[in-house]
Amino acid sequence: MNFIESPATLIGAVVVFSYLLGSIPFGLVLTALSGGGDIRRIGSGNIGATNVLRSGRKDLAAATLALDALKGVLAVLIAWVMCPPELADRATATAAIFAVIGHCFPVWLAFKGGKGVATGLGVVLAMSPLAGLACCLIWLLGAKITRISSAGALLAFAAMPVILFFQYGHSFTISEKPLAGALVSLVIFIRHRENIARLFSGREPRIGQ
């Protein structure tokens, strides 16, 4: 086995590639290219689709949501393709975690990125389409019932590791998907800590406000 084919080198490459792919700030780029200025000066200051929607551009918000999810999907799929079968589970789990970390803490923006929801949904869709679709449904239903986007997202990511846990044999080893789901959810909950505080105090804005 040469250096390029060593497991440590391959996993290291997955970490770097997934982080850099995840750190592409599509919301910021799209609003800037459309003449909308810096999205960080609007609403919550976040670079994600929800804040892009506050600019009044539903098309840009939809494009941001799709592209942020797509980079999560691509990170996992490319990791699966570039590594041998015996490393596939570990590589895809690693890619999922670092794509979300890249989105939430991008090096280009002084580590101040988005909340990770769309990218998180993208990685879970790539790891498990069934779990991904279930999380999307929970998110949409939660947001519709509560009229609070963050509440729907938090419900979805609270459910995600549980769904993966039961789907993949009740195991949380480092190379398997349930642990990746748990760590992705942890990152997203950390990024939503201010939203959680506002939810408990009843100050979280509702959709359309």
Side-chain angles (χ1 to χ4, degrees):
M1 180 183 295
N2 61 39
F3 176 75
I4 296 176
E5 294 174 342
S6 72
T9 302
L10 287 171
I11 294 300
V14 168
V15 168
V16 174
F17 174 79
S18 301
Y19 174 81
L20 293 177
L21 179 60
S23 68
I24 300 173
F26 284 114
L28 181 64
V29 172
L30 291 175
T31 50
L33 290 177
S34 70
D38 190 338
I39 189 62
R40 293 171 295 180
R41 300 182 182 276
I42 298 172
S44 66
N46 193 265
I47 63 170
T50 299
N51 200 45
V52 174
L53 185 60
R54 294 189 179 102
S55 72
R57 292 292 301 272
K58 293 182 179 179
D59 55 341
L60 292 182
T64 300
L65 180 67
L67 289 171
D68 281 347
L70 180 61
K71 66 187 182 185
V73 171
L74 288 176
V76 172
L77 293 183
I78 291 171
W80 180 74
V81 169
M82 69 185 288
C83 292
E86 63 270 20
L87 280 180
D89 283 345
R90 181 169 297 180
T92 53
T94 301
I97 296 164
F98 279 90
V100 174
I101 290 174
H103 178 81
C104 294
F105 307 102
V107 64
W108 330 111
L109 304 179
F111 304 103
K112 297 177 182 178
K115 300 292 181 69
V117 173
T119 305
L121 290 174
V123 300
V124 72
L125 278 166
M127 289 195 298
S128 167
L130 177 63
L133 290 173
C135 289
C136 288
L137 182 61
I138 292 169
W139 180 29
L140 293 172
L141 286 176
K144 181 176 178 62
I145 292 169
T146 64
R147 299 295 298 168
I148 301 174
S149 178
S150 62
L154 290 168
L155 287 171
F157 283 98
M160 183 181 73
V162 178
I163 296 169
L164 290 172
F165 179 73
F166 283 102
Q167 185 178 2
Y168 290 100
H170 312 284
S171 176
F172 271 99
T173 63
I174 189 62
S175 63
E176 294 189 11
K177 297 169 183 176
L179 179 59
L183 292 176
V184 165
S185 293
L186 177 62
V187 172
I188 289 171
F189 267 75
I190 290 172
R191 290 293 291 136
H192 280 80
R193 59 191 182 279
E194 293 178 358
N195 303 82
I196 294 170
R198 288 195 296 268
L199 283 168
F200 278 109
S201 66
R203 295 182 291 109
E204 182 72 341
R206 296 183 179 274
I207 295 172
Q209 288 184 331

